[in-house]
Amino acid sequence: MSETEPPLALSIVVPVYNEEGNVEPLHGELTRVARALGRPYELVFVNDGSRDGTLARLSALRARDEHLRIVDLDGNFGEAAALSAGFAHARGALVVTLDGDGQNDPADIPRLLARLGPELDVVSGRRRERQEAFLSRVLPSRIANWLIARATGVPVHDTGCGLKVYRRAVVTGARLPRGMNRFLPAVLGVRPGRVAEEWVSDRRRGSGRSHYGLSRTFAVLRDLPALPILVRLARRRPAFGRALGGAPVAQVAVLLALILGSLGWPAGRVPALAALLAAAVGWAIAHDVGRWVRAQERGVFRVRRTF
Ligand code: UDP
Ligand code: MG
């Protein structure tokens, strides 16, 4: 940004992977909402290696909208990386994120922004009346959210809601490893008292289908044990994180414990089970802290071009 340009008040970041049917209507809705707000804004669409016509549609929109910026990634790096890329390119004082499939309603954005008073860093959307199957999506998400809130200490009821508003400082430099978008805003190291929630509506996907299945529930379970460490320690003490996550020693020890445990050592079934569980938890922690540290060192995305 040159010195003569007015500072941007708002960046709206949208990660998109194969959303060719959704980017145009969403761009239209976002533009109407952003114009009505009357503050200088930008729309940052991050194309996460789409293989359909998403990029072509975005480029066509870009030709007639100077508020639109496209960050085109050099492959499919995942939603967490796409968000990280959006954070890296956002120039607004406040950063809004939302899904690119139309499930979040841009009409909710002004209310989230209004809620973000000086006492807060983040306002996180909480979806009312979910438009998805109860048993396969809503129930697992409720259980996951309860566990995530306990593990992170950040009392958010719907971390999976893509619609959130952040103060720019909170997201600057964020490098989220794959899947860690499910633990926003806690994994950014925000203080629990500086996060509020606001009810938002949940709509049906515009077109196309979800990129995730039930397997994400298992990924969340795997990531849970490391969360207290990631949230409170690894961000502030990288050396600690390196020691824990980078050490093959830790993983070998865990593997050994796993083998011994499965052979029934120490004697008896209960200690063996306990040893197995401890080993699994130890592995999960080492694995995730390792991923976190590598993400901070190497970054999580490569940009092909921005325009
Ligand atoms: N997404 C992405 N990269 C991926 C997978 C998803 O950028 O590898 C985007 C996707 O286009 C959408 C958002 O992340 O804008 C949420 O994805 P999806 O709607 O599939 O998730 P769900 O709503 O089922 O949680
Ligand atoms: Mg969706």
Side-chain angles (χ1 to χ4, degrees), residues 118-266:
E119 75 288 1
L120 295 176
D121 286 328
V122 185
V123 177
S124 190
R126 182 174 178 186
R127 288 165 289 182
R128 206 199 292 270
E129 291 167 28
R130 297 277 300 271
Q131 298 295 319
E132 292 174 312
F134 183 79
L135 272 184
S136 64
R137 319 261 323 181
V138 181
L139 184 65
S141 133
R142 290 229 177 113
I143 297 172
N145 274 294
W146 188 83
L147 291 167
I148 292 165
R150 252 122 222 100
T152 59
V154 179
V156 166
H157 292 85
D158 191 9
T159 57
C161 177
L163 180 53
K164 295 183 168 66
V165 180
Y166 304 89
R167 246 172 239 299
R168 181 197 164 79
V170 170
V171 298
T172 304
R175 295 173 163 191
L176 303 173
R178 192 173 283 276
M180 296 280 171
N181 52 295
R182 292 174 198 129
F183 312 120
L184 288 168
V187 283
L188 296 170
V190 292
R191 284 196 277 130
R194 295 191 59 84
V195 180
E197 289 178 288
E198 187 69 37
W199 287 108
V200 297
S201 54
D202 184 36
R203 308 189 293 187
R204 286 189 194 284
R205 214 172 207 288
S207 72
R209 52 199 337 239
S210 169
H211 300 89
Y212 307 104
L214 204 56
S215 65
R216 78 168 129 192
T217 311
F218 296 103
V220 167
L221 286 179
R222 183 204 60 200
D223 295 342
L224 276 174
L227 281 181
I229 298 171
L230 294 184
V231 167
R232 298 185 178 85
L233 282 174
R235 285 193 86 242
R236 283 168 210 127
R237 299 188 198 161
F240 171 84
R242 252 193 301 280
L244 191 67
V249 188
Q251 309 208 353
V252 171
V254 162
L255 215 74
L256 203 68
L258 201 68
I259 294 165
L260 287 175
S262 65
L263 290 176
W265 183 93

Side-chain angles (χ1 to χ4, degrees), residues 99 101 103 205:
D99 287 358
D101 59 0
Q103 284 197 267
R205 214 172 207 288

